[in-house]
Amino acid sequence: MMKDSPELRLAVTGASPDGKYTVTTALSLATGVPRISVPSESIAPSTERRLGDTVETPIRAFEARVDSEARAGTAFISDGSVLHEWAAAESLRRGRHRREWLWHPGSFPFRKFEESFLAAHASIVRRHACVAYDAVVHLRPEPAETDGDYAASQLTDRILVDALYPLPIPFLIVGGPAERILARITNLFALPLRMPLSEALSTASQSEALSTASDETWQDDFPTQQFSMKETA
Protein backbone atom coordinates (compact mmCIF):
# COMPACT_ATOMS: atom_id res chain seq x y z
CA MET A 1 0.00 0.00 0.00
CA MET A 2 1.40 3.38 -0.99
CA LYS A 3 1.45 6.24 1.45
CA ASP A 4 -0.98 9.11 0.93
CA SER A 5 1.75 11.66 1.66
CA PRO A 6 5.02 9.80 1.05
CA GLU A 7 8.35 11.17 2.16
CA LEU A 8 11.72 9.80 1.09
CA ARG A 9 15.24 10.90 1.91
CA LEU A 10 17.46 8.90 -0.44
CA ALA A 11 21.25 8.99 -0.49
CA VAL A 12 23.12 7.75 -3.56
CA THR A 13 26.66 6.79 -2.63
CA GLY A 14 29.59 5.43 -4.59
CA ALA A 15 33.29 5.87 -5.20
CA SER A 16 32.86 7.45 -8.64
CA PRO A 17 31.62 11.08 -8.60
CA ASP A 18 30.60 10.93 -12.26
CA GLY A 19 28.27 7.98 -11.73
CA LYS A 20 26.49 9.62 -8.81
CA TYR A 21 26.04 12.89 -10.68
CA THR A 22 24.42 11.21 -13.68
CA VAL A 23 22.14 8.94 -11.66
CA THR A 24 20.99 11.56 -9.15
CA THR A 25 20.45 14.25 -11.79
CA ALA A 26 18.49 11.92 -14.06
CA LEU A 27 16.49 10.56 -11.14
CA SER A 28 15.58 14.06 -10.01
CA LEU A 29 14.56 15.09 -13.53
CA ALA A 30 12.49 11.95 -14.04
CA THR A 31 10.67 12.02 -10.71
CA GLY A 32 10.64 15.67 -9.64
CA VAL A 33 12.27 14.80 -6.31
CA PRO A 34 14.82 17.52 -5.43
CA ARG A 35 18.49 16.71 -5.83
CA ILE A 36 21.01 18.10 -3.37
CA SER A 37 24.80 18.06 -3.54
CA VAL A 38 27.86 19.69 -2.06
CA PRO A 39 30.08 21.50 -4.62
CA SER A 40 33.68 20.33 -4.34
CA GLU A 41 34.98 23.90 -4.34
CA SER A 42 32.96 24.70 -1.22
CA ILE A 43 34.63 21.97 0.84
CA ALA A 44 38.19 22.27 -0.46
CA PRO A 45 40.84 23.05 2.19
CA SER A 46 41.19 26.78 2.73
CA THR A 47 44.99 26.50 2.89
CA GLU A 48 47.60 23.93 1.92
CA ARG A 49 47.72 22.38 5.35
CA ARG A 50 49.37 19.03 5.95
CA LEU A 51 46.08 17.29 6.81
CA GLY A 52 43.75 19.45 4.74
CA ASP A 53 42.43 16.61 2.57
CA THR A 54 41.87 14.15 5.40
CA VAL A 55 40.78 16.43 8.26
CA GLU A 56 39.58 19.82 7.03
CA THR A 57 37.69 18.57 3.98
CA PRO A 58 35.63 15.94 5.87
CA ILE A 59 34.63 18.52 8.49
CA ARG A 60 33.64 21.16 5.94
CA ALA A 61 31.74 18.57 3.89
CA PHE A 62 29.87 17.22 6.91
CA GLU A 63 28.74 20.71 7.91
CA ALA A 64 27.67 21.51 4.34
CA ARG A 65 25.74 18.27 3.87
CA VAL A 66 23.94 18.50 7.21
CA ASP A 67 22.87 22.05 6.36
CA SER A 68 21.73 21.13 2.82
CA GLU A 69 19.79 18.08 3.99
CA ALA A 70 18.11 20.02 6.79
CA ARG A 71 16.96 22.71 4.37
CA ALA A 72 15.74 20.08 1.89
CA GLY A 73 13.30 18.69 4.42
CA THR A 74 11.72 15.27 4.13
CA ALA A 75 12.09 14.55 0.41
CA PHE A 76 15.40 14.65 -1.44
CA ILE A 77 17.90 12.70 -3.50
CA SER A 78 21.40 13.31 -2.17
CA ASP A 79 24.40 13.09 -4.50
CA GLY A 80 26.61 11.34 -1.98
CA SER A 81 26.04 11.25 1.76
CA VAL A 82 27.70 12.33 4.99
CA LEU A 83 29.73 9.13 4.66
CA HIS A 84 31.31 10.10 1.36
CA GLU A 85 34.06 12.57 2.26
CA TRP A 86 34.95 10.58 5.37
CA ALA A 87 35.33 7.43 3.23
CA ALA A 88 37.44 9.29 0.67
CA ALA A 89 39.72 10.60 3.42
CA GLU A 90 39.98 7.17 5.04
CA SER A 91 40.81 5.67 1.64
CA LEU A 92 43.55 8.25 1.18
CA ARG A 93 44.95 7.46 4.63
CA ARG A 94 44.92 3.69 4.10
CA GLY A 95 46.37 3.99 0.61
CA ARG A 96 49.37 5.97 1.78
CA HIS A 97 52.53 3.90 1.81
CA ARG A 98 53.69 2.98 5.30
CA ARG A 99 57.30 3.63 4.31
CA GLU A 100 56.41 7.31 4.20
CA TRP A 101 56.86 7.36 7.97
CA LEU A 102 60.45 6.15 7.47
CA TRP A 103 61.08 8.67 4.71
CA HIS A 104 59.46 11.50 6.69
CA PRO A 105 59.67 10.63 10.42
CA GLY A 106 58.47 14.13 11.31
CA SER A 107 55.06 13.28 9.88
CA PHE A 108 54.44 10.49 12.41
CA PRO A 109 52.51 12.63 14.96
CA PHE A 110 50.35 14.06 12.16
CA ARG A 111 49.52 10.61 10.81
CA LYS A 112 48.59 9.30 14.25
CA PHE A 113 46.29 12.29 14.78
CA GLU A 114 44.82 11.72 11.32
CA GLU A 115 44.06 8.10 12.16
CA SER A 116 42.43 9.00 15.49
CA PHE A 117 40.44 11.85 13.97
CA LEU A 118 39.02 9.74 11.15
CA ALA A 119 38.04 6.98 13.59
CA ALA A 120 36.14 9.49 15.71
CA HIS A 121 34.62 11.20 12.67
CA ALA A 122 33.41 7.82 11.40
CA SER A 123 31.24 7.44 14.50
CA ILE A 124 29.75 10.90 13.98
CA VAL A 125 28.84 10.46 10.31
CA ARG A 126 27.43 6.98 10.89
CA ARG A 127 25.17 8.19 13.67
CA HIS A 128 23.96 11.06 11.52
CA ALA A 129 23.32 8.79 8.53
CA CYS A 130 20.99 6.68 10.66
CA VAL A 131 18.63 9.60 11.19
CA ALA A 132 19.26 11.54 7.96
CA TYR A 133 18.35 8.92 5.33
CA ASP A 134 15.43 6.59 4.80
CA ALA A 135 17.41 4.47 2.36
CA VAL A 136 20.72 4.34 0.50
CA VAL A 137 21.56 3.25 -3.04
CA HIS A 138 25.23 2.39 -3.46
CA LEU A 139 26.72 2.37 -6.94
CA ARG A 140 29.45 -0.15 -7.57
CA PRO A 141 32.50 1.37 -9.29
CA GLU A 142 33.03 0.64 -12.96
CA PRO A 143 36.60 0.63 -14.36
CA ALA A 144 35.67 3.09 -17.10
CA GLU A 145 34.45 5.66 -14.54
CA THR A 146 37.53 5.85 -12.33
CA ASP A 147 40.05 7.66 -14.53
CA GLY A 148 42.47 4.74 -14.41
CA ASP A 149 42.74 4.67 -10.60
CA TYR A 150 40.53 1.64 -10.15
CA ALA A 151 42.41 0.32 -7.08
CA ALA A 152 41.79 3.55 -5.15
CA SER A 153 38.15 3.52 -6.23
CA GLN A 154 37.76 -0.07 -5.06
CA LEU A 155 39.24 0.83 -1.67
CA THR A 156 36.81 3.72 -1.20
CA ASP A 157 33.98 1.47 -2.36
CA ARG A 158 34.90 -1.19 0.21
CA ILE A 159 35.08 1.39 3.01
CA LEU A 160 31.63 2.74 2.11
CA VAL A 161 30.02 -0.70 1.91
CA ASP A 162 31.63 -1.81 5.19
CA ALA A 163 30.23 1.33 6.82
CA LEU A 164 26.72 0.71 5.46
CA TYR A 165 26.25 -2.91 6.56
CA PRO A 166 26.05 -2.30 10.35
CA LEU A 167 23.65 0.63 9.97
CA PRO A 168 19.89 0.14 10.44
CA ILE A 169 19.22 1.69 7.02
CA PRO A 170 17.89 -0.31 4.07
CA PHE A 171 20.28 -0.14 1.15
CA LEU A 172 20.68 -1.44 -2.36
CA ILE A 173 24.04 -2.14 -3.99
CA VAL A 174 23.79 -1.98 -7.77
CA GLY A 175 25.97 -1.59 -10.83
CA GLY A 176 25.74 -1.66 -14.59
CA PRO A 177 24.23 0.78 -17.09
CA ALA A 178 22.75 3.96 -15.65
CA GLU A 179 19.32 3.34 -17.20
CA ARG A 180 19.15 -0.07 -15.52
CA ILE A 181 20.08 1.51 -12.19
CA LEU A 182 17.40 4.17 -12.59
CA ALA A 183 14.80 1.53 -13.42
CA ARG A 184 15.70 -0.46 -10.31
CA ILE A 185 15.38 2.60 -8.08
CA THR A 186 12.11 3.87 -9.51
CA ASN A 187 10.56 0.40 -9.41
CA LEU A 188 11.77 -0.29 -5.88
CA PHE A 189 10.23 2.92 -4.52
CA ALA A 190 7.29 2.97 -6.95
CA LEU A 191 8.22 6.49 -8.04
CA PRO A 192 5.93 8.04 -10.65
CA LEU A 193 7.80 9.40 -13.67
CA ARG A 194 7.36 12.92 -15.00
CA MET A 195 9.45 12.07 -18.04
CA PRO A 196 10.84 8.84 -19.51
CA LEU A 197 14.03 7.59 -17.86
CA SER A 198 15.86 7.54 -21.19
CA GLU A 199 15.05 11.21 -21.77
CA ALA A 200 16.07 12.19 -18.23
CA LEU A 201 19.33 10.25 -18.58
CA SER A 202 20.10 11.83 -21.94
CA THR A 203 19.50 15.31 -20.55
CA ALA A 204 21.63 14.62 -17.47
CA SER A 205 24.48 13.25 -19.56
CA GLN A 206 24.46 16.06 -22.12
CA SER A 207 24.35 19.10 -19.87
CA GLU A 208 26.71 19.62 -16.97
CA ALA A 209 24.99 22.96 -16.47
CA LEU A 210 22.08 21.04 -14.95
CA SER A 211 24.19 20.63 -11.83
CA THR A 212 23.39 24.14 -10.60
CA ALA A 213 19.69 23.90 -11.41
CA SER A 214 19.32 20.41 -9.93
CA ASP A 215 21.05 21.40 -6.70
CA GLU A 216 18.12 23.66 -5.80
CA THR A 217 15.92 22.06 -3.16
CA TRP A 218 12.15 22.17 -3.08
CA GLN A 219 9.31 20.28 -1.40
CA ASP A 220 7.26 17.84 -3.44
CA ASP A 221 4.92 14.99 -2.54
CA PHE A 222 5.15 11.81 -4.56
CA PRO A 223 3.98 8.18 -4.19
CA THR A 224 6.60 5.72 -2.98
CA GLN A 225 6.87 2.36 -1.33
CA GLN A 226 9.36 1.84 1.47
CA PHE A 227 11.39 -1.33 1.67
CA SER A 228 13.06 -2.94 4.66
CA MET A 229 15.44 -5.55 3.31
CA LYS A 230 19.08 -4.94 2.55
CA GLU A 231 19.49 -6.02 -1.05
CA THR A 232 22.32 -6.38 -3.53
CA ALA A 233 22.15 -6.63 -7.27
Side-chain angles (χ1 to χ4, degrees), residues 142-165:
E142 302 290 343
E145 297 176 349
T146 56
D147 297 327
D149 198 359
Y150 190 49
S153 183
Q154 283 183 308
L155 177 56
T156 302
D157 178 77
R158 186 166 68 249
I159 292 171
L160 281 167
V161 172
D162 288 347
L164 285 172
Y165 266 106

PDB file of all heavy atoms in Angstrom, residues 142-165:
ATOM      1  N   GLU A 142      32.745   1.254 -11.666  1.00  0.00           N
ATOM      2  CA  GLU A 142      33.030   0.644 -12.959  1.00  0.00           C
ATOM      3  C   GLU A 142      34.408   1.116 -13.408  1.00  0.00           C
ATOM      4  O   GLU A 142      34.744   2.292 -13.263  1.00  0.00           O
ATOM      5  CB  GLU A 142      31.974   1.051 -13.993  1.00  0.00           C
ATOM      6  CG  GLU A 142      30.552   0.688 -13.609  1.00  0.00           C
ATOM      7  CD  GLU A 142      30.303  -0.809 -13.643  1.00  0.00           C
ATOM      8  OE1 GLU A 142      31.119  -1.528 -14.271  1.00  0.00           O
ATOM      9  OE2 GLU A 142      29.315  -1.260 -13.042  1.00  0.00           O
ATOM     10  N   PRO A 143      35.251   0.223 -13.956  1.00  0.00           N
ATOM     11  CA  PRO A 143      36.604   0.625 -14.358  1.00  0.00           C
ATOM     12  C   PRO A 143      36.641   1.842 -15.266  1.00  0.00           C
ATOM     13  O   PRO A 143      37.525   2.682 -15.160  1.00  0.00           O
ATOM     14  CB  PRO A 143      37.131  -0.627 -15.070  1.00  0.00           C
ATOM     15  CG  PRO A 143      36.369  -1.758 -14.462  1.00  0.00           C
ATOM     16  CD  PRO A 143      34.995  -1.203 -14.181  1.00  0.00           C
ATOM     17  N   ALA A 144      35.667   1.983 -16.144  1.00  0.00           N
ATOM     18  CA  ALA A 144      35.672   3.093 -17.102  1.00  0.00           C
ATOM     19  C   ALA A 144      35.371   4.429 -16.448  1.00  0.00           C
ATOM     20  O   ALA A 144      35.583   5.478 -17.042  1.00  0.00           O
ATOM     21  CB  ALA A 144      34.649   2.835 -18.206  1.00  0.00           C
ATOM     22  N   GLU A 145      34.874   4.427 -15.187  1.00  0.00           N
ATOM     23  CA  GLU A 145      34.452   5.658 -14.539  1.00  0.00           C
ATOM     24  C   GLU A 145      35.467   6.171 -13.524  1.00  0.00           C
ATOM     25  O   GLU A 145      35.206   7.140 -12.817  1.00  0.00           O
ATOM     26  CB  GLU A 145      33.119   5.430 -13.816  1.00  0.00           C
ATOM     27  CG  GLU A 145      31.972   5.070 -14.741  1.00  0.00           C
ATOM     28  CD  GLU A 145      30.707   4.772 -13.970  1.00  0.00           C
ATOM     29  OE1 GLU A 145      30.807   4.640 -12.733  1.00  0.00           O
ATOM     30  OE2 GLU A 145      29.634   4.677 -14.578  1.00  0.00           O
ATOM     31  N   THR A 146      36.613   5.528 -13.419  1.00  0.00           N
ATOM     32  CA  THR A 146      37.526   5.849 -12.328  1.00  0.00           C
ATOM     33  C   THR A 146      38.827   6.500 -12.789  1.00  0.00           C
ATOM     34  O   THR A 146      39.782   6.580 -12.039  1.00  0.00           O
ATOM     35  CB  THR A 146      37.861   4.575 -11.534  1.00  0.00           C
ATOM     36  OG1 THR A 146      38.401   3.594 -12.439  1.00  0.00           O
ATOM     37  CG2 THR A 146      36.611   4.008 -10.880  1.00  0.00           C
ATOM     38  N   ASP A 147      38.882   6.944 -14.024  1.00  0.00           N
ATOM     39  CA  ASP A 147      40.052   7.658 -14.532  1.00  0.00           C
ATOM     40  C   ASP A 147      41.347   6.872 -14.345  1.00  0.00           C
ATOM     41  O   ASP A 147      42.392   7.427 -14.058  1.00  0.00           O
ATOM     42  CB  ASP A 147      40.177   9.023 -13.836  1.00  0.00           C
ATOM     43  CG  ASP A 147      39.002   9.924 -14.139  1.00  0.00           C
ATOM     44  OD1 ASP A 147      38.476   9.821 -15.259  1.00  0.00           O
ATOM     45  OD2 ASP A 147      38.617  10.718 -13.271  1.00  0.00           O
ATOM     46  N   GLY A 148      41.279   5.560 -14.471  1.00  0.00           N
ATOM     47  CA  GLY A 148      42.470   4.739 -14.408  1.00  0.00           C
ATOM     48  C   GLY A 148      42.897   4.359 -13.007  1.00  0.00           C
ATOM     49  O   GLY A 148      43.736   3.488 -12.832  1.00  0.00           O
ATOM     50  N   ASP A 149      42.347   4.987 -11.960  1.00  0.00           N
ATOM     51  CA  ASP A 149      42.740   4.674 -10.597  1.00  0.00           C
ATOM     52  C   ASP A 149      41.711   3.735  -9.990  1.00  0.00           C
ATOM     53  O   ASP A 149      41.042   4.066  -9.006  1.00  0.00           O
ATOM     54  CB  ASP A 149      42.866   5.967  -9.781  1.00  0.00           C
ATOM     55  CG  ASP A 149      43.680   5.749  -8.510  1.00  0.00           C
ATOM     56  OD1 ASP A 149      44.105   4.597  -8.272  1.00  0.00           O
ATOM     57  OD2 ASP A 149      43.882   6.718  -7.762  1.00  0.00           O
ATOM     58  N   TYR A 150      41.576   2.564 -10.570  1.00  0.00           N
ATOM     59  CA  TYR A 150      40.534   1.636 -10.146  1.00  0.00           C
ATOM     60  C   TYR A 150      40.799   1.078  -8.758  1.00  0.00           C
ATOM     61  O   TYR A 150      39.860   0.838  -7.980  1.00  0.00           O
ATOM     62  CB  TYR A 150      40.420   0.505 -11.164  1.00  0.00           C
ATOM     63  CG  TYR A 150      39.222  -0.387 -10.966  1.00  0.00           C
ATOM     64  CD1 TYR A 150      37.955   0.156 -10.781  1.00  0.00           C
ATOM     65  CD2 TYR A 150      39.349  -1.777 -10.974  1.00  0.00           C
ATOM     66  CE1 TYR A 150      36.840  -0.653 -10.609  1.00  0.00           C
ATOM     67  CE2 TYR A 150      38.250  -2.594 -10.804  1.00  0.00           C
ATOM     68  CZ  TYR A 150      37.000  -2.024 -10.619  1.00  0.00           C
ATOM     69  OH  TYR A 150      35.909  -2.835 -10.449  1.00  0.00           O
ATOM     70  N   ALA A 151      42.076   0.862  -8.402  1.00  0.00           N
ATOM     71  CA  ALA A 151      42.406   0.319  -7.084  1.00  0.00           C
ATOM     72  C   ALA A 151      41.952   1.271  -5.972  1.00  0.00           C
ATOM     73  O   ALA A 151      41.378   0.843  -4.971  1.00  0.00           O
ATOM     74  CB  ALA A 151      43.908   0.052  -6.980  1.00  0.00           C
ATOM     75  N   ALA A 152      42.217   2.562  -6.147  1.00  0.00           N
ATOM     76  CA  ALA A 152      41.790   3.546  -5.149  1.00  0.00           C
ATOM     77  C   ALA A 152      40.272   3.603  -5.071  1.00  0.00           C
ATOM     78  O   ALA A 152      39.695   3.730  -3.981  1.00  0.00           O
ATOM     79  CB  ALA A 152      42.356   4.919  -5.491  1.00  0.00           C
ATOM     80  N   SER A 153      39.606   3.508  -6.208  1.00  0.00           N
ATOM     81  CA  SER A 153      38.153   3.523  -6.229  1.00  0.00           C
ATOM     82  C   SER A 153      37.586   2.301  -5.525  1.00  0.00           C
ATOM     83  O   SER A 153      36.599   2.397  -4.780  1.00  0.00           O
ATOM     84  CB  SER A 153      37.650   3.571  -7.677  1.00  0.00           C
ATOM     85  OG  SER A 153      36.243   3.652  -7.724  1.00  0.00           O
ATOM     86  N   GLN A 154      38.210   1.148  -5.723  1.00  0.00           N
ATOM     87  CA  GLN A 154      37.759  -0.067  -5.057  1.00  0.00           C
ATOM     88  C   GLN A 154      37.922   0.043  -3.547  1.00  0.00           C
ATOM     89  O   GLN A 154      37.083  -0.445  -2.784  1.00  0.00           O
ATOM     90  CB  GLN A 154      38.534  -1.270  -5.580  1.00  0.00           C
ATOM     91  CG  GLN A 154      38.092  -1.760  -6.942  1.00  0.00           C
ATOM     92  CD  GLN A 154      38.851  -2.994  -7.359  1.00  0.00           C
ATOM     93  OE1 GLN A 154      40.082  -3.029  -7.347  1.00  0.00           O
ATOM     94  NE2 GLN A 154      38.121  -4.039  -7.724  1.00  0.00           N
ATOM     95  N   LEU A 155      39.016   0.671  -3.097  1.00  0.00           N
ATOM     96  CA  LEU A 155      39.244   0.832  -1.667  1.00  0.00           C
ATOM     97  C   LEU A 155      38.163   1.724  -1.057  1.00  0.00           C
ATOM     98  O   LEU A 155      37.598   1.395  -0.010  1.00  0.00           O
ATOM     99  CB  LEU A 155      40.636   1.428  -1.411  1.00  0.00           C
ATOM    100  CG  LEU A 155      40.990   1.720   0.050  1.00  0.00           C
ATOM    101  CD1 LEU A 155      40.852   0.459   0.905  1.00  0.00           C
ATOM    102  CD2 LEU A 155      42.404   2.289   0.150  1.00  0.00           C
ATOM    103  N   THR A 156      37.870   2.844  -1.694  1.00  0.00           N
ATOM    104  CA  THR A 156      36.812   3.725  -1.204  1.00  0.00           C
ATOM    105  C   THR A 156      35.471   2.998  -1.212  1.00  0.00           C
ATOM    106  O   THR A 156      34.684   3.124  -0.259  1.00  0.00           O
ATOM    107  CB  THR A 156      36.707   4.988  -2.074  1.00  0.00           C
ATOM    108  OG1 THR A 156      37.971   5.664  -2.079  1.00  0.00           O
ATOM    109  CG2 THR A 156      35.639   5.932  -1.541  1.00  0.00           C
ATOM    110  N   ASP A 157      35.219   2.234  -2.266  1.00  0.00           N
ATOM    111  CA  ASP A 157      33.982   1.471  -2.361  1.00  0.00           C
ATOM    112  C   ASP A 157      33.859   0.496  -1.201  1.00  0.00           C
ATOM    113  O   ASP A 157      32.793   0.388  -0.573  1.00  0.00           O
ATOM    114  CB  ASP A 157      33.953   0.719  -3.690  1.00  0.00           C
ATOM    115  CG  ASP A 157      32.723  -0.146  -3.842  1.00  0.00           C
ATOM    116  OD1 ASP A 157      31.652   0.408  -4.129  1.00  0.00           O
ATOM    117  OD2 ASP A 157      32.824  -1.380  -3.678  1.00  0.00           O
ATOM    118  N   ARG A 158      34.932  -0.207  -0.878  1.00  0.00           N
ATOM    119  CA  ARG A 158      34.896  -1.189   0.207  1.00  0.00           C
ATOM    120  C   ARG A 158      34.662  -0.513   1.559  1.00  0.00           C
ATOM    121  O   ARG A 158      33.913  -1.019   2.400  1.00  0.00           O
ATOM    122  CB  ARG A 158      36.204  -1.982   0.241  1.00  0.00           C
ATOM    123  CG  ARG A 158      36.187  -3.122   1.267  1.00  0.00           C
ATOM    124  CD  ARG A 158      37.320  -4.080   1.041  1.00  0.00           C
ATOM    125  NE  ARG A 158      38.614  -3.483   1.327  1.00  0.00           N
ATOM    126  CZ  ARG A 158      39.528  -3.208   0.408  1.00  0.00           C
ATOM    127  NH1 ARG A 158      39.278  -3.434  -0.873  1.00  0.00           N
ATOM    128  NH2 ARG A 158      40.692  -2.685   0.749  1.00  0.00           N
ATOM    129  N   ILE A 159      35.272   0.649   1.751  1.00  0.00           N
ATOM    130  CA  ILE A 159      35.083   1.386   3.005  1.00  0.00           C
ATOM    131  C   ILE A 159      33.626   1.817   3.148  1.00  0.00           C
ATOM    132  O   ILE A 159      33.032   1.709   4.235  1.00  0.00           O
ATOM    133  CB  ILE A 159      36.026   2.604   3.052  1.00  0.00           C
ATOM    134  CG1 ILE A 159      37.479   2.126   3.173  1.00  0.00           C
ATOM    135  CG2 ILE A 159      35.685   3.532   4.218  1.00  0.00           C
ATOM    136  CD1 ILE A 159      38.504   3.232   3.007  1.00  0.00           C
ATOM    137  N   LEU A 160      33.029   2.314   2.063  1.00  0.00           N
ATOM    138  CA  LEU A 160      31.632   2.740   2.106  1.00  0.00           C
ATOM    139  C   LEU A 160      30.697   1.572   2.400  1.00  0.00           C
ATOM    140  O   LEU A 160      29.787   1.677   3.234  1.00  0.00           O
ATOM    141  CB  LEU A 160      31.250   3.395   0.780  1.00  0.00           C
ATOM    142  CG  LEU A 160      31.695   4.837   0.574  1.00  0.00           C
ATOM    143  CD1 LEU A 160      31.525   5.242  -0.887  1.00  0.00           C
ATOM    144  CD2 LEU A 160      30.924   5.781   1.482  1.00  0.00           C
ATOM    145  N   VAL A 161      30.894   0.465   1.717  1.00  0.00           N
ATOM    146  CA  VAL A 161      30.024  -0.697   1.914  1.00  0.00           C
ATOM    147  C   VAL A 161      30.177  -1.248   3.332  1.00  0.00           C
ATOM    148  O   VAL A 161      29.179  -1.582   3.996  1.00  0.00           O
ATOM    149  CB  VAL A 161      30.322  -1.784   0.870  1.00  0.00           C
ATOM    150  CG1 VAL A 161      29.550  -3.072   1.193  1.00  0.00           C
ATOM    151  CG2 VAL A 161      29.949  -1.301  -0.523  1.00  0.00           C
ATOM    152  N   ASP A 162      31.403  -1.331   3.822  1.00  0.00           N
ATOM    153  CA  ASP A 162      31.629  -1.811   5.187  1.00  0.00           C
ATOM    154  C   ASP A 162      30.957  -0.908   6.213  1.00  0.00           C
ATOM    155  O   ASP A 162      30.506  -1.377   7.266  1.00  0.00           O
ATOM    156  CB  ASP A 162      33.130  -1.893   5.476  1.00  0.00           C
ATOM    157  CG  ASP A 162      33.807  -3.045   4.739  1.00  0.00           C
ATOM    158  OD1 ASP A 162      33.084  -3.918   4.219  1.00  0.00           O
ATOM    159  OD2 ASP A 162      35.052  -3.056   4.683  1.00  0.00           O
ATOM    160  N   ALA A 163      30.886   0.395   5.912  1.00  0.00           N
ATOM    161  CA  ALA A 163      30.232   1.332   6.822  1.00  0.00           C
ATOM    162  C   ALA A 163      28.713   1.185   6.771  1.00  0.00           C
ATOM    163  O   ALA A 163      28.025   1.412   7.773  1.00  0.00           O
ATOM    164  CB  ALA A 163      30.637   2.764   6.481  1.00  0.00           C
ATOM    165  N   LEU A 164      28.165   0.810   5.612  1.00  0.00           N
ATOM    166  CA  LEU A 164      26.722   0.707   5.457  1.00  0.00           C
ATOM    167  C   LEU A 164      26.133  -0.527   6.136  1.00  0.00           C
ATOM    168  O   LEU A 164      25.035  -0.459   6.712  1.00  0.00           O
ATOM    169  CB  LEU A 164      26.347   0.687   3.972  1.00  0.00           C
ATOM    170  CG  LEU A 164      26.423   2.009   3.211  1.00  0.00           C
ATOM    171  CD1 LEU A 164      26.216   1.777   1.725  1.00  0.00           C
ATOM    172  CD2 LEU A 164      25.374   2.982   3.742  1.00  0.00           C
ATOM    173  N   TYR A 165      26.828  -1.653   6.083  1.00  0.00           N
ATOM    174  CA  TYR A 165      26.255  -2.906   6.561  1.00  0.00           C
ATOM    175  C   TYR A 165      25.786  -2.866   8.012  1.00  0.00           C
ATOM    176  O   TYR A 165      24.698  -3.374   8.323  1.00  0.00           O
ATOM    177  CB  TYR A 165      27.242  -4.062   6.347  1.00  0.00           C
ATOM    178  CG  TYR A 165      27.007  -4.782   5.043  1.00  0.00           C
ATOM    179  CD1 TYR A 165      27.862  -4.617   3.968  1.00  0.00           C
ATOM    180  CD2 TYR A 165      25.918  -5.631   4.884  1.00  0.00           C
ATOM    181  CE1 TYR A 165      27.642  -5.257   2.762  1.00  0.00           C
ATOM    182  CE2 TYR A 165      25.687  -6.284   3.684  1.00  0.00           C
ATOM    183  CZ  TYR A 165      26.561  -6.096   2.630  1.00  0.00           C
ATOM    184  OH  TYR A 165      26.330  -6.737   1.426  1.00  0.00           O
TER     185      TYR A 165
END
